[in-house]
């Protein structure tokens, strides 16, 4: 039985990390094998706080070794990594990807390089950003950074579309085969913008902003999952990029319609597979 190994955070209530990524992938027809880097009661942007803890890096090693012992790493189609609770966990991700690729060289590594956004209440432990920039992002097949994370990896400031294109080219030269920029806030104030970059070129996806009292959390985790699933299903990066933009918008639209800020992935599950609205990509 083939599946996707998803190593991310987990919240008991709401949708972030694996709680945002697992169900959409399952709804798209994939077996998903989640390993949680942290388990929190809720995501960290609640003003009331949260409870829970980060797991030890050895827990990741132990679980992956258990999967190896039953011969299932050879059936792993992709490894997705997201929020890490410690620099040691990043090292465990590196080890995991190497083990999976040794068993299945065709397996993809998709790295969502969460480096923290203090303005949003998302903080990562010391050493994580360095591990992501120096080790995990260069070894990834696909990286899914936001504008800040891309700028850190490329070592340049991004203030325009041309800057973003150049930063993606720098990133591709460092190892990844694809860059999916999950949010480019400098490109447009009127539209939410994302970018895909491969050796074949760059594409811009845009969709309308939606009104929220508080911005939803876990959108980047959803984007990583949607792109990974559609790319595995079809093998076409541009089509997968268009799908993840359309399906993500559908989830956000349902969330806004219900007056929520926790992603309504269950309510919007049919549109995860077949989005009702489609947005045209712009080749750059």
């Amino acid at each position: 039985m083939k599946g996707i190994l998803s190593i991310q955070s987990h919240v008991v209530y709401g949708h972030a990390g694996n709680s945002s990524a697992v169900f959409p992938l399952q709804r798209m027809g994939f077996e998903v094998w989640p390993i949680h880097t942290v388990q929190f009661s809720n995501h960290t942007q609640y003003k009331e706080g949260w409870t829970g803890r980060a797991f030890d890096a050895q827990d990741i090693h132990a679980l992956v070794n258990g999967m190896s012992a039953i011969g299932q790493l050879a059936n792993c189609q992709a490894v997705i990594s997201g929020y890490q609770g410690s620099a040691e966990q990043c090292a465990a991700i590196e080890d995991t990807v190497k083990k999976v690729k040794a068993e299945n060289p065709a397996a993809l590594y998709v790295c969502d390089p969460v480096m923290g956004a203090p303005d949003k209440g998302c903080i990562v432990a010391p050493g994580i950003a360095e591990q992501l920039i120096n080790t995990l992002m260069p070894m990834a097949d696909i990286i899914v950074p936001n504008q800040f994370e891309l700028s850190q990896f490329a070592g340049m400031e991004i203030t325009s579309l041309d800057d973003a294109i150049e930063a993606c080219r720098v990133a591709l030269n460092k190892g990844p085969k694809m860059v999916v920029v999950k949010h480019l806030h400098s490109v447009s104030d009127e539209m939410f913008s994302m970018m895909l970059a491969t050796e074949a070129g760059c594409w811009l996806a845009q969709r309308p902003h939606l009104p929220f009292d508080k911005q939803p959390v876990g959108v980047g985790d959803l984007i990583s999952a949607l792109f990974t699933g559609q790319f595995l299903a079809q093998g076409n990066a541009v089509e997968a990029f268009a799908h993840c933009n359309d399906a993500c918008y559908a989830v956000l639209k349902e969330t806004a319609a219900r007056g929520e800020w926790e992603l309504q992935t269950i309510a919007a599950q049919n549109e995860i597979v077949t989005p009702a609205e489609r947005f045209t990509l712009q080749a750059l």
Side-chain angles (χ1 to χ4, degrees):
M1 179 173 63
K2 294 183 178 180
I4 297 169
L5 186 59
S6 181
I7 309 175
Q8 306 191 55
S9 61
H10 174 76
V11 292
V12 177
Y13 174 79
H15 298 281
N18 272 333
S19 308
S20 177
V22 171
F23 174 73
L25 283 167
Q26 291 172 329
R27 188 62 181 79
M28 294 170 80
F30 292 92
E31 291 288 340
V32 188
W33 307 325
I35 294 178
H36 305 326
T37 56
V38 305
Q39 178 155 299
F40 293 160
S41 56
N42 47 275
H43 65 65
T44 58
Q45 292 173 46
Y46 278 85
K47 67 180 187 303
E48 300 88 351
W50 69 94
T51 58
R53 67 181 180 89
F55 294 111
D56 192 273
Q58 283 304 122
D59 294 328
I60 298 175
H61 287 296
L63 293 170
V64 172
N65 287 340
M67 294 287 291
S68 178
I70 60 172
Q72 289 305 309
L73 293 189
N75 290 323
C76 182
Q77 295 173 275
V79 178
I80 301 175
S81 69
Y83 181 92
Q84 303 301 305
S86 68
E88 291 77 18
Q89 286 185 342
C90 291
I93 299 294
E94 177 187 9
D95 182 65
T96 297
V97 172
K98 288 178 178 177
K99 285 182 176 178
V100 169
K101 284 181 173 282
E103 294 291 330
N104 178 17
L108 296 174
Y109 172 37
V110 181
C111 176
D112 182 350
V114 181
M115 295 182 192
D119 59 320
K120 290 186 176 181
C122 177
I123 300 170
V124 298
I128 289 178
E130 291 78 7
Q131 285 269 33
L132 288 166
I133 291 168
N134 297 325
T135 304
L136 296 186
M137 295 175 79
M139 70 185 293
D141 298 290
I142 302 167
I143 59 172
V144 192
N146 60 25
Q147 181 173 310
F148 169 73
E149 292 154 356
L150 176 61
S151 72
Q152 295 299 108
F153 186 50
M156 61 176 285
E157 188 177 4
I158 300 171
T159 60
S160 67
L161 184 58
D162 286 342
D163 288 344
I165 293 171
E166 179 59 27
C168 284
R169 287 175 179 154
V170 172
L172 290 171
N173 285 333
K174 291 190 172 188
K177 300 176 183 67
M178 300 179 205
V179 181
V180 178
V181 190
K182 58 195 173 191
H183 186 199
L184 277 172
H185 62 262
S186 290
V187 170
S188 171
D189 292 329
E190 290 74 34
M191 302 287 282
F192 186 96
S193 304
M194 302 198 305
M195 182 181 289
L196 167 69
T198 72
E199 289 186 355
C202 294
W203 292 264
L204 182 69
Q206 294 186 305
R207 59 180 186 262
H209 282 297
L210 293 167
F212 292 99
D213 293 334
K214 293 183 286 188
Q215 283 302 306
V217 174
V219 178
D221 310 313
L222 176 63
I223 289 169
S224 297
L226 292 169
F227 181 84
T228 302
Q230 197 70 7
F231 182 69
L232 286 173
Q234 293 192 335
N236 185 302
V238 177
E239 290 180 9
F241 182 56
H243 179 87
C244 84
N245 183 56
D246 298 339
C248 185
Y249 178 75
V251 172
L252 287 166
K253 189 173 182 179
E254 184 68 29
T255 303
R258 291 171 178 257
E260 298 283 351
W261 70 309
E262 291 283 5
L263 294 175
Q264 298 296 297
T265 50
I266 309 302
Q269 61 179 285
N270 291 335
E271 294 210 58
I272 287 171
V273 179
T274 311
E277 294 182 67
R278 302 294 176 93
F279 299 96
T280 302
L281 300 184
Q282 178 185 348
L284 301 173

